[in-house]
Amino acid sequence: MLGKTASDNRVFVYEVAGLRQNTDNDKNSYSFRSSSSVFIKVPYQRMNDEMRRITRMGGTILSIKPWTSN
């Protein structure tokens, strides 16, 4: 197992449009509005998984920016 690096602690914000309900996300307790952007905070280690999930839900990634707590 590799040691942790500085990038492991980084978080990014995805701006996503066009999300829709489907069988993968119908288990959530909330619904999506496809007419507006959604902002999702994603840890560096999960970026690829999140991109695939957004694609499955019919979303389009508009931007990816580093998250800052300021």
Side-chain angles (χ1 to χ4, degrees), residues 1-64:
M1 182 172 180
L2 298 175
K4 284 195 150 214
T5 64
S7 63
D8 290 341
N9 295 324
R10 295 184 68 191
V11 176
F12 294 84
V13 177
Y14 285 40
E15 181 181 3
V16 180
L19 292 178
R20 66 175 187 268
Q21 292 292 133
N22 62 28
T23 55
D24 288 335
N25 60 30
D26 280 342
K27 297 175 251 159
N28 296 330
S29 60
Y30 52 88
S31 61
F32 295 100
R33 290 186 54 181
S34 61
S35 61
S36 62
S37 291
V38 176
F39 295 89
I40 305 168
K41 288 192 327 187
V42 182
Y44 176 78
Q45 313 84 298
R46 295 202 52 240
M47 289 180 76
N48 285 330
D49 293 334
E50 191 64 25
M51 284 186 221
R52 284 191 288 271
R53 186 178 77 89
I54 289 167
T55 301
R56 281 194 313 268
M57 292 167 50
T60 301
I61 298 172
L62 303 176
S63 69
I64 301 172

